[in-house]
Amino acid sequence: MTCTYIEAIDEMYGMLQERWASLTPSIVDGEAPKILYIGQTQKTKPPADKYYARMELNVFDEFQATFKTDIDGTNSRRYTNHGILLLHIFCPFSDAQNSIRGNQLGIVARDSYRGKRSDSVVFYNCKISPWFPNEVFNKIIVSTEYKYDDVG
């Protein structure tokens, strides 16, 4: 099935948001950590004592999937888009269990995509990686590659 770039983004966000909202409050003993999405403005810095995440999408390959030039009667071609989704999870050093909880949040995010597909997007190579901390936050990065077809 094909989808547009915007539809693919919505499906990727939706798959994470469902699990994140239901499973993460018990991990951090409170409300689900906020996820900042691409294009979403942040007026102030996130509090240094709260968990939060930031999503990033990188398309690294698009190729023409068919030679046919009239897909669905629209005088268009089918393209396959291939990229990587990164979820940066920020875990405050003010929480003594930030490393354990960060990894648990990473597992929730990874399992949102591992071995799964949405209506249009296929996910594979899901990984959790610890990353360099800054002064305030420990950082975990969850990555998954994705692929979807679109007509254009």
Side-chain angles (χ1 to χ4, degrees):
M1 182 169 182
T2 63
C3 66
T4 66
Y5 175 67
I6 300 300
E7 290 167 341
I9 290 172
D10 286 347
E11 288 181 22
M12 288 186 247
Y13 288 172
M15 288 177 70
L16 173 63
Q17 194 57 47
E18 276 182 42
R19 284 181 60 85
W20 192 263
S22 67
L23 298 177
T24 61
S26 63
I27 294 171
V28 298
D29 296 330
E31 63 184 46
K34 184 176 183 173
I35 300 175
L36 304 175
Y37 296 105
I38 297 167
Q40 187 178 28
T41 57
Q42 183 72 19
K43 294 178 183 171
T44 60
K45 285 186 175 183
D49 63 339
K50 299 277 187 202
Y51 288 81
Y52 77 97
R54 186 176 65 228
M55 185 178 279
E56 175 183 335
L57 295 174
N58 297 298
V59 178
F60 54 80
D61 193 19
E62 177 184 86
F63 61 90
Q64 186 174 329
T66 63
F67 290 116
K68 187 175 179 181
T69 59
D70 192 25
I71 303 291
D72 300 331
T74 60
N75 199 23
S76 300
R77 294 186 170 120
R78 181 183 303 260
Y79 294 89
T80 298
N81 293 278
H82 183 203
I84 189 164
L85 178 152
L86 299 170
L87 184 71
H88 304 259
I89 302 171
F90 296 88
C91 312
F93 281 130
S94 60
D95 179 359
Q97 295 187 342
N98 72 72
S99 182
I100 293 167
R101 290 179 175 173
N103 282 310
Q104 291 172 328
L105 292 171
I107 290 167
V108 169
R110 180 201 62 198
D111 290 351
S112 296
Y113 300 109
R114 184 189 240 179
K116 300 219 170 63
R117 65 177 299 136
S118 67
D119 290 338
S120 307
V121 185
V122 177
F123 302 94
Y124 53 97
N125 291 339
C126 300
K127 296 178 269 228
I128 302 171
S129 306
W131 203 249
F132 297 104
N134 63 24
E135 318 73 55
V136 182
F137 293 101
N138 193 7
K139 188 173 173 183
I140 304 290
I141 296 181
V142 177
S143 62
T144 184
E145 293 181 53
Y146 64 85
K147 189 185 290 187
Y148 69 92
D149 286 347
D150 86 31
V151 174

